[in-house]
Amino acid sequence: MNLKELSAHLGLSPTTVSRALNGYPEVSEKTRQRVQKAATEQGYSPNARAQGLATGRARAIGHVLPMSTQHEMVNPIFGDFVLGAGAAYARKGYEVVISLVDDTGEEAAYRAIKARGNVDGIIVHGPHMNDPRIALLRELQLPFVVHGRASFVTEPYSWLDTNNQRAFRRATDFLLDLGHRRIGLVNGLEFMDFAHRRRAGYTEALVARGLAPDPALMRSEEMTETYGYASARDMLDGPAPPTAFLAASMIVAIGVRRAIQDRGMTLGRDVSVITHDDDLSYLRNSVDVPIFTATRSSVQKAGTRAAHMLLSLIDNPDQPPLTHLLEAELIIGSSTGPAPS
């Protein structure tokens, strides 16, 4: 059913029906509810291009991914985020536009996006500590929400983030309570804000127990399985190996587990592992009893929440920046146990 047919069914003008579906204030609440009810019952799906012409909006949200030698965002985590965000966009008649750009040409890409007018807002992924995209998007007056934070950016902006520092402090405290004193950190790239905060939580927990952080037990690199394996292998083969690891993601944790098993050791008995981001659609942490103890924060739910925030900014551009901090759960699995004697 198209807009003209829905209008005839309701006995209203196409303009009134369009305005009711798009939330215009001059349409009464009674009429809006009647139109929305009929649209649902009749299976009406608005044409995004036609809506854009009527409202002056592109009815699309942009996600810009830099292409480089370090693809911190091109992994299952991004896929789950877009899955959650996409569902929220679809309910409001918006589409997703994904742009891949050279990481040395991001400014030109954002300026081109603004000039084309093919998106109404942007989700910024993988913020660095001092991220220039925030000031650029403010200059362009393009609504945006940052998935994460940029610690060195002082002006207000909209963001949604997980409390990475608290999550990794809590995970480190959990291992310390089990008697572990040498805990390896297999972190992400630490020029990225989330990884910087995770190291801060890890070191805070150690210092609070009177333990000096050991640089030999810390790694920072792109989060891949081979990186997790190589980091754990090197630490386990060292003169004073760790009895536990904190892994930055499920992908890294799988590599850490492989290194442990290659050395004939048992996960959770000889060496403990805690991972982050275990609630992924295509990389489940088991179904009944979790394989890994984990600091869990749903990336898909984060995508949905960030999308709602951005759509609100688009609809109400004069409101102040929106922020939301998610807390991670500590999920106990079979990958952790008391420190071996």
Side-chain angles (χ1 to χ4, degrees), residues 255-288:
V256 172
R257 179 178 65 177
R258 181 160 66 94
I260 292 168
Q261 293 173 338
D262 277 1
R263 274 139 194 82
M265 295 185 286
T266 300
L267 181 71
R269 186 189 69 190
D270 302 314
V271 182
S272 292
V273 176
I274 297 181
T275 186
H276 187 71
D277 281 336
D278 75 313
D279 190 20
L280 300 174
S281 299
Y282 301 102
L283 199 61
R284 290 291 185 193
N285 186 10
S286 190
V287 177
D288 300 319

Side-chain angles (χ1 to χ4, degrees), residues 69-118:
T69 57
Q70 295 178 313
H71 299 89
E72 204 57 85
M73 294 308 301
V74 185
N75 54 40
I77 295 171
F78 174 73
D80 259 37
F81 184 92
V82 171
L83 185 65
Y89 300 151
R91 283 192 291 271
K92 293 288 188 177
Y94 281 77
E95 298 177 346
V96 180
V97 176
I98 297 177
S99 302
L100 297 176
V101 302
D102 187 282
D103 59 356
T104 61
E106 281 194 86
E107 179 176 347
Y110 280 108
R111 291 190 183 279
I113 287 169
K114 173 64 176 180
R116 288 195 300 268
N118 63 334

Side-chain angles (χ1 to χ4, degrees), residues 7-201:
S7 302
H9 172 76
L10 287 163
L12 298 171
S13 72
T15 299
T16 299
V17 172
S18 176
R19 288 178 178 273
L21 291 171
N22 287 288
Y24 280 78
E26 58 265 34
V27 178
S28 71
E29 185 60 28
K30 181 179 179 181
T31 300
R32 188 186 341 275
Q33 291 180 2
R34 180 185 167 215
V35 170
Q36 290 174 342
K37 181 174 183 292
T40 300
E41 292 173 348
Q42 299 298 319
Y44 170 72
S45 179
N47 180 286
R49 188 176 298 277
Q51 281 191 323
L53 291 171
T55 63
R57 293 181 181 173
R59 309 299 296 185
I61 303 297
H63 293 254
V64 180
L65 298 181
M67 296 184 296
S68 70
T69 57
Q70 295 178 313
H71 299 89
E72 204 57 85
M73 294 308 301
V74 185
N75 54 40
I77 295 171
F78 174 73
D80 259 37
F81 184 92
V82 171
L83 185 65
Y89 300 151
R91 283 192 291 271
K92 293 288 188 177
Y94 281 77
E95 298 177 346
V96 180
V97 176
I98 297 177
S99 302
L100 297 176
V101 302
D102 187 282
D103 59 356
T104 61
E106 281 194 86
E107 179 176 347
Y110 280 108
R111 291 190 183 279
I113 287 169
K114 173 64 176 180
R116 288 195 300 268
N118 63 334
V119 300
D120 299 309
I122 293 282
I123 297 287
V124 177
H125 294 279
H128 296 185
M129 300 291 291
N130 188 11
D131 202 301
R133 293 174 294 179
I134 293 170
L136 174 63
L137 287 167
R138 285 167 59 89
E139 174 197 333
L140 296 174
Q141 297 185 326
L142 191 59
F144 69 95
V145 171
V146 180
H147 181 210
R149 283 175 284 175
S151 294
F152 297 159
V153 175
T154 56
E155 67 265 25
Y157 60 94
S158 295
W159 55 262
L160 175 140
D161 197 12
T162 297
N163 196 339
N164 286 289
Q165 187 164 337
R166 185 174 186 273
F168 269 55
R169 173 154 188 172
R170 188 179 180 190
T172 307
D173 279 332
F174 180 78
L175 292 170
L176 291 168
D177 289 343
L178 288 172
H180 297 277
R181 291 298 178 268
R182 291 188 61 75
I183 302 169
L185 174 66
V186 190
N187 204 5
L189 294 162
E190 289 179 357
F191 60 78
M192 303 187 79
D193 197 86
F194 77 89
H196 176 84
R197 292 178 186 272
R198 290 178 185 179
R199 179 189 278 254

